Amino acid sequence: PENEEKFNQFEKRLIDDDLKAVLISWLNQFMGVSTDKISREVLFSAVRKIKYNLLIQNIKNVKSEDPYTKLQIQDMFTRQRLNSLIVDWKNHPVLSEKLDLVFAQLGADIKEKSIIDIYGSEAEFTFYTTELKYYILAKSIESVDSQPDKVIQGVQELSGDPDEKKEIKLLMSFLDSAANMFSQINNISSYVLDTPQEYIETYIKDFSNIDTFYRKAIMSWESLRNLELPEEIQLDDLVEKIHQTYETYLIELNREWLKCLKQFDFKLNDISVVKQYQFYNQYIENSDQKLAVIISDALRFECAQELLGEVMVDTKGNAKMDTLLTGIPSVTKWGMANLLSNRQLAYADEKITIDGISTEGTVNRK
């Protein structure tokens, strides 16, 4: 609508430059549109035909209830030319960004919802308009907790467009993280393990991934809340389900972990893993280099894993990650004491001293 004057200029050029016959020929070759004139309705019809054929071109059995079947291009060579035209359109430095807008405005009569209702969200689409993506993702929202692996695959098939809208990118990221969280939790056969050592090893290898996917899902959700999404995208129930499922997982894991610790009389020192109070002796004392120690209070294990990945991008150095078991209770004033050199550690009146110096406060620890 905002280009009314440009269209009038276009119509005038058809007469002035005698291009009408060429364009009529192209409409037939590339879109299978037979006409003896160029008009708005002819061009709108061409856009509708292009949009429909791009959407259903890989669907083998076109159904009789499909209201748009009369638009289907049967000729194989015409379909090939149409696909080549779309490739050129997508690669055009200026016009590529108008592709979705043209289909949304001029091809609005070809409704993606009707296509989804007839062929399902799992049909073999190879071309996606923004609206089609939203309808497919809306279907994924309904099954992300019960069929997470299918949702993960579906999101992967939709991904890959470098010029994707911010809203769709965030929505796909949210669904992918949520589906991965549900998949990991659904695949837990039992929370009952034999030893505390096994719980630690399993957490490092498997359970920590659940924390990552939960965190990323909620981070994506927090960003999505501030964006305008189509009416069919309803996320509140899914977000509540994510929270409930994650909290249940934590409760179940913690309950069995504590049962296991009780069986071993809560002897944390007997677990074969480096303890927090051994940090200084293990990593600092025998070093022949100057070291800097950066302490991040309550940094989640899985966040440290992600940080390690970021550090490893720097090819100039090396990085690795170790695991330590914290002291109980894991409060700051005692955790800090555990990290210091502990030649003579003493506890009295709910306070810890090292060589007679209190470990509370930055002045004393310095």
Side-chain angles (χ1 to χ4, degrees), residues 260-317:
C260 183
L261 281 182
K262 186 176 181 181
Q263 290 176 355
F264 285 82
D265 296 325
F266 294 94
K267 294 181 178 178
L268 297 180
N269 284 340
D270 291 347
I271 302 174
S272 181
V273 62
V274 179
K275 312 303 185 298
Q276 189 182 27
Y277 63 81
Q278 296 172 316
F279 171 78
Y280 182 84
N281 294 336
Q282 184 87 3
Y283 297 99
I284 308 296
E285 187 175 33
N286 297 321
S287 175
D288 58 358
Q289 296 176 320
K290 183 180 288 187
L291 297 178
V293 177
I294 302 172
I295 300 171
S296 179
D297 199 359
L299 179 69
R300 282 159 66 110
F301 178 87
E302 54 92 9
C303 289
Q305 284 183 311
E306 188 167 309
L307 176 60
L308 176 66
E310 295 292 331
V311 173
M312 290 295 287
V313 173
D314 183 0
T315 56
K316 295 178 183 177

Side-chain angles (χ1 to χ4, degrees), residues 61-288:
N61 299 313
V62 176
K63 297 185 178 181
S64 58
E65 59 266 35
D66 185 339
Y68 314 120
T69 51
K70 62 183 180 182
L71 298 176
Q72 186 180 16
I73 297 173
Q74 301 291 345
D75 182 68
M76 181 180 68
F77 293 109
T78 304
R79 292 202 302 265
Q80 289 175 347
R81 292 190 193 102
L82 175 59
N83 284 323
S84 297
L85 174 65
I86 294 302
V87 169
D88 288 343
W89 191 348
K90 283 183 174 180
N91 292 333
H92 195 281
V94 177
L95 299 180
S96 59
E97 63 184 38
K98 300 293 185 183
L99 180 62
D100 202 67
L101 179 65
V102 168
F103 287 147
Q105 289 191 352
L106 307 190
D109 288 345
I110 306 300
K111 300 190 181 302
E112 287 86 343
K113 186 178 187 306
S114 297
I115 301 289
I116 289 288
D117 290 343
I118 294 167
Y119 297 105
S121 60
E122 298 173 23
E124 290 187 47
F125 299 110
T126 55
F127 180 87
Y128 301 91
T129 62
T130 294
E131 193 166 349
L132 181 62
K133 289 179 181 179
Y134 274 129
Y135 280 116
I136 292 174
L137 293 172
K139 292 290 184 182
S140 297
I141 291 169
E142 299 172 5
S143 59
V144 66
D145 59 324
S146 58
Q147 296 179 301
D149 293 338
K150 185 177 289 187
V151 170
I152 293 168
Q153 181 180 350
V155 169
Q156 288 175 344
E157 291 172 357
L158 285 178
S159 302
D161 184 354
D163 301 318
E164 191 67 85
K165 288 183 64 176
K166 177 183 178 182
E167 292 85 347
I168 291 183
K169 274 187 178 179
L170 273 171
L171 183 57
M172 289 194 294
S173 176
F174 167 72
L175 288 173
D176 183 68
S177 297
N180 271 287
M181 188 203 80
F182 283 117
S183 178
Q184 296 260 336
I185 292 177
N186 293 349
N187 286 329
I188 297 175
S189 57
S190 174
Y191 290 95
V192 180
L193 302 176
D194 292 334
T195 65
Q197 178 75 25
E198 192 175 349
Y199 272 99
I200 293 172
E201 292 171 354
T202 304
Y203 179 81
I204 291 170
K205 181 173 176 288
D206 297 321
F207 291 155
S208 61
N209 293 325
I210 296 172
D211 295 336
T212 299
F213 291 127
Y214 172 76
R215 171 174 59 88
K216 291 193 172 183
I218 298 307
M219 286 175 66
S220 297
W221 160 242
E222 290 295 335
S223 298
L224 281 169
R225 293 172 67 179
N226 301 318
L227 301 177
E228 187 174 342
L229 298 171
E231 185 179 352
E232 62 268 16
I233 302 298
Q234 298 294 326
L235 298 175
D236 289 346
D237 289 345
L238 175 55
V239 172
E240 183 63 27
K241 180 74 173 178
I242 290 170
H243 285 310
Q244 290 177 353
T245 303
Y246 182 70
E247 288 170 10
T248 300
Y249 145 76
L250 290 179
I251 291 169
E252 292 294 327
L253 177 59
N254 194 51
R255 179 183 293 124
E256 297 305 327
W257 159 251
L258 289 174
K259 282 183 183 178
C260 183
L261 281 182
K262 186 176 181 181
Q263 290 176 355
F264 285 82
D265 296 325
F266 294 94
K267 294 181 178 178
L268 297 180
N269 284 340
D270 291 347
I271 302 174
S272 181
V273 62
V274 179
K275 312 303 185 298
Q276 189 182 27
Y277 63 81
Q278 296 172 316
F279 171 78
Y280 182 84
N281 294 336
Q282 184 87 3
Y283 297 99
I284 308 296
E285 187 175 33
N286 297 321
S287 175
D288 58 358

